Amino acid sequence: MDLQDQLKHLFPDHVSEDPQEVNQEDDGLWLQDAPIICKYEKRKGKPITILEGYTGAQEDFKALAKDLKTKLSVGGSFKDDKIIIQGDYRDRIMELLKEKGFKVKRVGG
C-alpha cells in the first residue's frame, strides 16, 4: 500500500489537486510578442546569465525570476528590469521559457 492509497483510506472525502492545476500560476504570466534576450557575461571572473526585454508587469517579472531560480536551484537577483542568474544556464533557461510560451533570443558566445 503506497502513500496515496493510505491517504485515500484516511481521508475518503478529500479531492486531490491535479498537477495541471498547480501549473496554472505559471500560465498567468503575460506573454509578449518580442523575444526575451538571454545573454552571458562574466562579472568579477564569475559567469552569469542575464535575461532582459520583458515588458510585462513587474510582479510577473519577479515571479518569473523566482520560478527560474527555484527550478535551476541557483541564486540570482532581479533589478533594473533584468533577471540575473548565477552561472551559465542559457540553454536550460531558454528551454524553460519556451515551455512557458515565451520567445527567447540568445545573444553572445
Side-chain angles (χ1 to χ4, degrees), residues 40-48 79:
Y40 169 79
E41 285 186 11
K42 277 195 173 183
R43 293 188 182 171
K44 298 182 183 176
K46 298 183 180 181
I48 60 169
K79 59 173 116 168

Side-chain angles (χ1 to χ4, degrees), residues 14-103:
H14 178 72
V15 177
S16 64
E17 294 181 1
D18 291 335
Q20 296 170 351
E21 292 178 15
V22 175
N23 291 334
Q24 290 296 331
E25 66 185 45
D26 294 339
D27 297 333
L29 298 174
W30 184 74
L31 300 177
Q32 63 187 19
D33 293 332
I36 294 177
I37 306 296
C38 182
K39 61 184 178 179
Y40 169 79
E41 285 186 11
K42 277 195 173 183
R43 293 188 182 171
K44 298 182 183 176
K46 298 183 180 181
I48 60 169
T49 304
I50 300 174
L51 298 171
E52 58 186 17
Y54 184 68
T55 58
Q58 190 166 1
E59 293 82 21
D60 289 345
F61 207 35
K62 286 181 181 179
L64 181 62
K66 183 177 181 179
D67 186 41
L68 288 173
K69 290 189 295 184
T70 55
K71 285 188 178 179
L72 296 172
S73 300
V74 296
S77 65
F78 169 82
K79 59 173 116 168
D80 299 330
D81 293 333
K82 295 180 184 176
I83 299 174
I84 300 171
I85 303 290
Q86 296 173 356
D88 184 10
Y89 292 100
R90 288 176 290 179
D91 295 330
R92 292 177 59 193
I93 289 173
M94 289 173 65
E95 288 175 15
L96 291 170
L97 290 175
K98 286 179 183 177
E99 287 174 6
K100 290 179 180 278
F102 288 101
K103 295 179 185 175

